[in-house]
Amino acid sequence: MNIPNVTIDVGGYKRRREDFLKRKALAIARVVIETKREMSLDPLTEKEYKIVKEALMEQGKVRIHTVGSGYRKNVIIAPR
């Protein structure tokens, strides 16, 4: 029996969160490019990490990686 996936987005939270993560990642990327120093984001879920990674792939001047594991995994944005 196949059960369909259902996503409930109360009050547009999911969309607002995605937009916030993209804007924050791009703002941090600008600082990283200017200072040539890496910076970390707050711990993110796997889905949030993918959103940030996709937003920064277009940037080209920074790279992204994680440090740690589980719920303590931090996302690092570093210059190329």
Side-chain angles (χ1 to χ4, degrees), residues 26 48 52:
L26 292 171
E48 291 173 334
V52 168

Side-chain angles (χ1 to χ4, degrees), residues 16-32:
R16 285 192 320 271
R17 178 71 176 161
E18 288 177 7
D19 290 343
F20 168 77
L21 288 171
K22 289 175 185 177
R23 285 192 318 270
K24 185 173 182 178
L26 292 171
I28 290 176
R30 282 192 295 274
V31 173
V32 166

Side-chain angles (χ1 to χ4, degrees), residues 44-59:
L44 302 174
T45 66
E46 287 298 319
K47 285 184 179 184
E48 291 173 334
Y49 175 75
K50 287 179 184 179
I51 291 166
V52 168
K53 186 174 181 177
E54 287 176 11
L56 294 178
M57 282 175 51
E58 298 171 8
Q59 178 60 257

Side-chain angles (χ1 to χ4, degrees), residues 27-39:
I28 290 176
R30 282 192 295 274
V31 173
V32 166
I33 292 166
E34 288 175 14
T35 64
K36 298 186 178 10
R37 296 183 66 154
E38 64 182 37
M39 294 180 69

Side-chain angles (χ1 to χ4, degrees), residues 7-19 47 51:
T7 301
I8 299 173
D9 189 7
V10 177
Y13 172 81
K14 182 179 175 186
R15 183 67 185 162
R16 285 192 320 271
R17 178 71 176 161
E18 288 177 7
D19 290 343
K47 285 184 179 184
I51 291 166

